[in-house]
Each structure stands twice: as structure tokens, then as C-alpha cells.
Amino acid sequence: MVHLGYDLDTHDLVRDALAAGDLRPEQAVAIVRAVKELPQDLDTDLVIRAERHLVDAAAEHDAKTLRILGRRLLEVVAPELADQHEADLLEKEEAKAAQAMRLTMTDDGHGKTHARFTLPTVQAAMLKKMLLAIAAPKHQAATHGAGVERRPGPERMGRAFAELIERISAKDLPKVGGRDATIVIHIDLDVLTGRLEKAGVLDTGERISPSQVRRLACTARILPVVLNGKSEVLDVGRAKRFFTKAQLTALGIRDGGCRTEGCDWPPWLCHGHHWQRWADDGDTDLANGGLLCPRHHARAHDPTDETTREANGKVSFHRRE
């Protein structure tokens, strides 16, 4: 409101209309902002004409609509300049939006995670269209039967968001540490086959119910690491130079993250490291492997650093003398 007070000194039409009760304060703010966004070198008569146009439009439109009309203001007063001005304005907005992107997620400890995000308009439109495709009445009726052909509300959009996440293939995402972004779960064979009810543990640390484990395993949305069941070969000796996905998964479960003392990097962001170098006849197997984060992996290969493996399985680094 203080800013508006200053702006009214240079926007006579808005000031007079506001004083006469023809404008609400939020409408005045929308009009002033739209006029101030016009090109600085625009002819004064055109600026006055633009301001008058929005003041007149305020008789039928609220502040939100006035903001929308303000974006197309040049089309009314100077059509020949409108396209270039809109392009310049959009580029500025998109640059600001790219800098403002944020995502925060907080686990409440009761099976729910609360999130807040800020996205540029185009990515938000893409996300909304994806969610509406899943939450659409026809899709819901086809997958869940009749009786759900209602307009998507917040609950259904939330369910659609969860389904969208499950639908995204890890193969389409960048690999991290030689592995894709598939969730790994540590579970007993008896749980997977339904003979035992016991929680599964994700490689991210969360615990989920046995029924959830079996559902996700059935849809191939997780990679179960099964105890007492058939598994991939984990020791390949000298047959391969790099650790396989199965080996990296096993290292992640065993090490729980970077092996460096005091480092808290999670396993899915770490690299597989040969304790005895491959070039020195070291085998590519679990006994000769361990997880290190990128920074400590670089130190392990730095000739000026010496790596010490501690009795507790951790490693430490110090400069060579």
C-alpha cells in the first residue's frame, strides 16, 4: 500500500478513480503494475491511453482479470509493438522463475511426507496435464469401475501424483554411481511369498508394510533384495572391470553409504571402489569393494593421500609425509 501511495503521484487517472470509489486498492495496484511494465520509451499519450483503458475495464473486472488484461495492454494501444514487448516480458519472467524453483520435502514420521514446490509456469502446466490424464473420470472409470466419474479434486490429484511417480521408469532417469534410480528393498523371502508378515526396509531408510512390498514387487516398481532366495551372482573376480548393478546394490545394503569415517553420503550417491586396484590385480567382488562418495573416491585415488581401513570397517584419509 505504501508503494501504491507513491505510485499515485504519477498515475493521475488511477488516483482520481480510487478517490472517487471507482477502484478497489487491489485493482489500483494491478493497473499501476501493468502500466509500469510497458516499454520505457513508449509515447506518453499511449501510456495515458493504456491507463485509461484499464481504469474503464475495472468497472467489470476484478484485480486478477485486470492483471491478465494488463499483459495484453499493448495490443490495444500499440498493436505493432505488442508481440516484441510480450516476448521480452516472458523472457524476463521465465528467467526469474528459473531462479525461484524450489522443492522441499518433510517426513512427518507417520507414513506421510509433506512437500512444497515452486515451478515455472510451463513445467507446472506439464505436470498438471500429466496428473489430469491419470485423474480424468474416463481413466478412473476404466481402471476402478463405474461410480467415480466426478471432477478431480485434491484427493484424486494426490493419488494421481503418487501414480505418476510409480509410472516413471528408472531407466529414463540419469544413473547415479553406476545405478539407476530404482528403489531397493531388503526383505525376507517368506515375506515376499506371504508366509511371514514383517516390514521391509528401503535403501533410503524408510520402512513399509509387507502388503506394500508385495504390491510394488508385483508391478516391478522396486528391486527386492531377497534373503534366502535366488539372487544374481555378486562375485565376478577378474571377469569385469566395473562393479555390476547387482554388486553395487549389495554394497549399498552392506555399507549403508560412504565408508569414510564421519561421511553421511547415502549409498545411491556413492561409487564402487576397489580396495586393491584393478591395475594391481584386484578383483571386482564384494570382498575387495566398498562404497565411497565422489569426494572421498577422488581422495582414494590421489597419490598424495593415504587410505587406512579401520577395524570397524570404516576408512580414513591423511596426507602422505
Side-chain angles (χ1 to χ4, degrees), residues 204-223:
T204 53
E206 292 84 356
R207 303 172 70 87
I208 62 175
S209 68
S211 59
Q212 182 84 311
V213 171
R214 289 190 285 268
R215 182 185 73 83
L216 292 174
C218 182
T219 58
R221 295 305 179 189
I222 61 173
L223 176 62

Side-chain angles (χ1 to χ4, degrees), residues 23-130:
L23 290 180
R24 291 188 293 274
E26 60 271 20
Q27 290 177 305
V29 170
I31 294 173
V32 169
R33 184 173 299 172
V35 173
K36 289 174 68 175
E37 288 178 349
L38 292 173
Q40 297 297 315
D41 57 352
L42 191 64
D43 185 79
T44 304
D45 291 338
L46 292 177
V47 174
I48 295 174
R49 181 182 169 189
E51 186 173 329
R52 182 180 292 111
H53 172 74
L54 289 181
V55 169
D56 294 340
E60 299 180 359
H61 301 291
D62 59 13
K64 181 179 179 180
T65 305
L66 287 174
R67 285 193 292 271
I68 297 173
L69 293 175
R71 294 180 61 89
R72 318 292 298 188
L73 197 51
L74 272 185
E75 292 186 0
V76 177
V77 299
E80 68 280 2
L81 303 176
D83 289 341
Q84 184 60 51
H85 174 65
E86 183 183 28
D88 294 341
L89 187 62
L90 288 172
E91 285 188 5
K92 292 179 181 178
E93 289 183 347
E94 289 168 359
K96 290 181 179 179
Q99 295 175 351
M101 285 189 288
R102 298 288 187 276
L103 172 63
T104 58
M105 298 180 8
T106 306
D107 192 327
D108 66 4
H110 300 285
K112 299 185 295 296
T113 294
H114 306 270
R116 294 174 61 90
F117 65 83
T118 301
L119 287 176
T121 299
V122 62
Q123 280 76 21
M126 294 166 65
L127 175 62
K128 185 176 181 180
K129 197 163 187 178
M130 293 176 187

Side-chain angles (χ1 to χ4, degrees), residues 185-246:
I185 186 163
H186 197 192
I187 192 169
D188 291 341
L189 177 61
D190 288 340
V191 174
L192 197 60
T193 57
R195 293 194 295 267
L196 178 66
E197 294 297 305
K198 180 181 177 182
V201 182
L202 304 182
D203 60 340
T204 53
E206 292 84 356
R207 303 172 70 87
I208 62 175
S209 68
S211 59
Q212 182 84 311
V213 171
R214 289 190 285 268
R215 182 185 73 83
L216 292 174
C218 182
T219 58
R221 295 305 179 189
I222 61 173
L223 176 62
V225 176
V226 185
L227 298 180
N228 299 322
K230 184 179 180 181
S231 63
E232 295 183 61
V233 176
L234 297 180
D235 293 327
V236 295
R238 296 285 297 172
K240 291 186 178 181
R241 166 68 177 85
F242 299 106
F243 290 98
T244 66
K245 292 181 181 179

Side-chain angles (χ1 to χ4, degrees), residues 271-288:
H271 301 162
H273 173 66
H274 294 79
W275 300 124
Q276 180 180 348
R277 297 191 309 168
W278 170 268
D280 296 332
D281 295 330
D283 291 334
T284 304
D285 55 31
L286 298 187
N288 189 45

Side-chain angles (χ1 to χ4, degrees), residues 6 9 11-12 18 33 37-38 46 70 94 97 102 128 130 143 146 150-151 167 173 221 234 257 274 306 308 313 316:
Y6 283 107
D9 285 340
H11 293 82
D12 297 342
L18 189 62
R33 184 173 299 172
E37 288 178 349
L38 292 173
L46 292 177
E94 289 168 359
R102 298 288 187 276
K128 185 176 181 180
M130 293 176 187
T143 55
R150 64 183 186 279
R151 184 175 180 177
R167 283 171 173 264
L173 300 175
R221 295 305 179 189
L234 297 180
H274 294 79
E306 184 172 351
T308 302
S316 59

